[in-house]
Amino acid sequence: MSLLKIALQKSGRLSEKSLELFAEAGINIMNGSRKLVSKASNFPVEIMYLRDDDIPQYVHDGVADAGIVGENILMEKTKPLEIVERLGFARCRLSLAVEKHCQYNGTGLFEGMRIATSYPNILASYLEKMKINAEIHEINGSVEIAPGIGLADAIFDIVSTGSTLISNGLKEVETVMRSEAVLISGSALTDEKRDILSALLFRIRAVRRANNNKYILLNAPNEKLEEIAEILPGMKSPTVMPLAMEGWSSVHSVVNENQFWEVIDKLREAGAQGILVIPIEKMVV
Ligand code: ATP
Ligand code: MG
């Protein structure tokens, strides 16, 4: 039987979350990332640990069948690969930044500037789209020090909180793209490998849905049940069970993390009491 070969980052900001996702999906990977390749004991996948920059190429060449990588790297490597699923972690953005005292009044400022970056392809296509002529200086790592040492006038780099920029006397002025970790696959998978990928995806979705939702229980007077059911989005409709106390019921449902506080406020206003919120382990719809 064949194994689906999946490329993960060996060590870095993607690796821990990627392995956590596999663990939550019940896939038991042996030996962790200490070896170059390891198999799962209970699912037909083989994990290859690589530098993130190499993952699109390996998947494109068919050395790996699928991989987890940041969208920023995927875009930069310009390989025709399919995003199978967005994974919601390693969120960051790629932005242009200039020295903090620089008066910024629009992208025209970049005309003729020297911009340092590790993402020359993404930057070049942005500059072209904006019709800006600027000089791209490709450097790998520590891009943020380039203006301070006189190597560049601006930088184009990954930003998440912005604290690296601030501590280097820079300010973010344009966001060019947003990025998160994505599951990618090559296009030439055998039917057998496609089936494994679908099975993996089914589990990943169940895990992510569970992480994004909470189980909610509450008590409500019977005359308020209709109003409360309307507030609760749930999977289908809420479960309603009578309480021992006459005229009261217990209501169970599922609430999305994003709407959570809004829903809780509305429920309280509608007369809900004793609200309990419980994490969900897996969620299959
Ligand atoms: P490698 O040794 O594998 O080449 P790296 O140093 O290039 O690793 P990391 O810094 O581990 O890469 O970042 C991996 C990915 O995580 C980035 O490509 C980006 O998608 C995302 N990322 C980078 N910085 C942050 C951040 N501060 N917050 C969230 N996500 C980030
Ligand atoms: Mg890298």
Side-chain angles (χ1 to χ4, degrees):
M1 194 173 123
S2 63
L3 298 176
L4 186 77
K5 288 182 268 178
I6 304 177
L8 301 184
Q9 188 189 26
K10 182 168 171 57
S11 77
R13 291 177 195 269
L14 294 165
S15 38
E16 199 176 313
K17 281 275 166 55
S18 304
L19 288 172
E20 202 175 287
L21 185 63
F22 278 79
E24 285 182 309
I27 299 170
N28 177 19
I29 296 163
M30 296 174 288
N31 296 314
S33 54
R34 272 164 294 156
K35 290 166 71 178
L36 176 63
V37 178
S38 55
K39 290 194 172 82
S41 61
N42 57 357
F43 197 80
V45 291
E46 186 172 72
I47 309 294
M48 308 170 67
Y49 300 97
L50 303 170
R51 289 208 45 200
D52 68 345
D53 315 64
D54 297 332
I55 292 176
Q57 180 78 50
Y58 275 69
V59 175
H60 183 251
D61 292 348
V63 177
D65 301 309
I68 294 181
V69 73
E71 260 176 302
N72 51 322
I73 295 291
L74 182 63
M75 294 288 289
E76 180 59 26
K77 301 299 175 187
T78 63
K79 294 277 179 289
L81 296 164
E82 191 189 334
I83 295 184
V84 182
E85 187 81 347
R86 303 183 164 273
L87 301 174
F89 60 86
R91 284 183 193 279
C92 57
R93 51 195 189 273
L94 279 177
S95 295
L96 282 156
V98 294
E99 284 180 293
K100 72 168 180 239
H101 300 299
C102 180
Q103 210 170 18
Y104 186 73
N105 48 16
T107 53
L109 180 78
F110 295 109
E111 189 66 35
M113 273 192 169
R114 297 164 303 160
I115 310 174
T117 188
S118 314
Y119 297 89
N121 290 328
I122 298 174
L123 179 57
S125 65
Y126 175 76
L127 294 175
E128 194 187 315
K129 190 182 83 185
M130 303 301 285
K131 301 194 169 37
I132 300 164
N133 277 307
E135 223 177 280
I136 298 175
H137 281 249
E138 183 178 352
I139 46 179
N140 291 312
S142 303
V143 171
E144 63 283 354
I145 65 167
I149 60 172
L151 186 70
D153 309 301
I155 68 162
F156 175 61
D157 202 10
I158 287 184
V159 183
S160 68
T161 60
S163 59
T164 308
L165 293 181
I166 292 168
S167 61
N168 285 281
L170 301 171
K171 64 178 176 190
E172 183 179 7
V173 290
E174 295 289 338
T175 300
V176 173
M177 76 169 275
R178 295 188 181 277
S179 174
E180 65 187 278
V182 289
L183 176 67
I184 56 171
S185 82
S187 48
L189 299 191
T190 60
D191 287 349
E192 200 178 356
K193 288 189 175 184
R194 282 212 174 274
D195 288 347
I196 303 171
L197 186 61
S198 312
L200 174 67
L201 199 54
F202 177 80
R203 292 191 185 195
I204 287 177
R205 288 186 175 150
V207 168
R208 296 209 52 225
R209 217 178 278 124
N211 291 344
N212 292 335
N213 286 280
K214 299 274 177 273
Y215 193 76
I216 182 166
L217 301 96
L218 56 91
N219 296 331
N222 288 346
E223 67 273 15
K224 295 284 186 181
L225 284 177
E226 213 167 307
E227 191 182 338
I228 283 176
E230 300 244 313
I231 300 167
L232 288 168
M235 294 227 273
K236 277 208 173 74
S237 69
T239 308
V240 178
M241 286 178 286
L243 289 185
M245 186 196 284
E246 190 74 30
W248 281 73
S249 296
S250 166
V251 180
H252 299 202
S253 191
V254 170
V255 181
N256 192 282
E257 190 99 278
N258 298 329
Q259 310 165 293
F260 183 73
W261 290 109
E262 197 187 317
V263 168
I264 297 282
D265 287 343
K266 284 189 188 159
L267 289 171
R268 291 179 60 219
E269 269 168 42
Q273 295 182 7
I275 302 174
L276 294 181
V277 177
I278 300 169
I280 300 172
E281 173 84 15
K282 302 284 184 296
M283 190 164 153
V284 178
V285 292

